[in-house]
Amino acid sequence: MNTNPSPSPREPQQAAEAARELIELLEVLWERGRDMVSATPVSASQLRVLYSLDREEGISLRTLGDLLGSAPPSVSRMCDRLEALGFVQRLPSPVSRRQLELHLTVHGKGYLRELRAQREKALLAVIADMSPASRKALLRGLTGFHEAVEQSGPTSVSGPRTPLRDVSSA
């Protein structure tokens, strides 16, 4: 006998609304983390560049533009600003003298490391207040969401994906 009632037709809409609200709350936490890391925080677009370079070290401006879905001039300007901050450097490609590779600097890698640590600290503080059953449910839900994203293969999500870690001990 099936003990699970059939899902409501409105269930996907309710899940999407809950996810949107959660994302909005995470954005607030993320901003706090970004403000704590540097006196000159980068914009959300520039942060996407840093994440992309962290995953795809040594890519070209063209490839970066494709990953971000942005035009080459705007990607170039973002990289100019990140280079001025000391987060990114352009190096000649060993394959072609006409092409440049983009790399995170030690300063850029440190910024991302500190940003991720601040954000994880904020998440752990919230997760610690959850019951063990809620943490397990969160992990199950996030794992299912992650798998669905991987199966749908959106172009906005690229690079190697890391599995979700067990948050039940947090």
Side-chain angles (χ1 to χ4, degrees):
M1 173 170 96
N2 186 0
T3 58
N4 291 335
S6 58
S8 155
R10 182 145 157 66
E11 199 171 273
Q13 180 65 37
Q14 291 171 327
E17 290 170 4
R20 178 192 44 78
E21 290 174 8
L22 177 62
I23 290 167
E24 290 170 0
L25 288 171
L26 286 173
E27 286 176 342
V28 171
L29 286 175
W30 279 182
E31 286 303 313
R32 283 188 208 153
R34 210 169 9 164
D35 292 344
M36 293 173 70
V37 171
S38 171
T40 57
V42 298
S43 70
S45 297
Q46 292 168 334
L47 189 56
R48 286 180 59 210
V49 169
L50 296 178
Y51 285 146
S52 295
L53 294 180
D54 190 43
R55 286 189 308 268
E56 305 282 338
E57 187 77 18
I59 61 174
S60 67
L61 274 172
R62 179 182 300 278
T63 303
L64 179 60
D66 291 344
L67 284 173
L68 299 174
S70 298
S74 64
V75 174
S76 184
R77 283 191 301 274
M78 276 193 287
C79 288
D80 288 343
R81 288 195 275 304
L82 290 168
E83 196 169 26
L85 290 171
F87 290 167
V88 171
Q89 73 181 120
R90 299 173 202 206
L91 299 172
S93 169
V95 178
S96 168
R97 290 187 301 162
R98 295 178 8 183
Q99 199 170 20
L100 293 174
E101 292 181 345
L102 299 168
H103 295 270
L104 286 177
T105 62
V106 171
H107 185 58
K109 289 176 183 179
Y111 175 83
L112 283 180
R113 188 173 36 258
E114 181 65 23
L115 177 65
R116 287 174 172 144
Q118 289 295 331
R119 288 177 170 180
E120 188 169 328
K121 183 178 172 184
L123 285 173
L124 285 172
V126 173
I127 290 170
D129 288 340
M130 296 171 66
S131 71
S134 293
R135 286 193 297 261
K136 285 181 183 180
L138 176 65
L139 180 60
R140 270 194 316 275
L142 290 174
T143 299
F145 183 81
H146 191 257
E147 290 168 356
V149 168
E150 283 185 337
Q151 288 174 4
S152 65
T155 58
S156 61
V157 178
S158 63
R161 294 178 180 93
T162 55
L164 294 172
R165 293 180 289 178
D166 185 356
V167 294
S168 60
S169 62

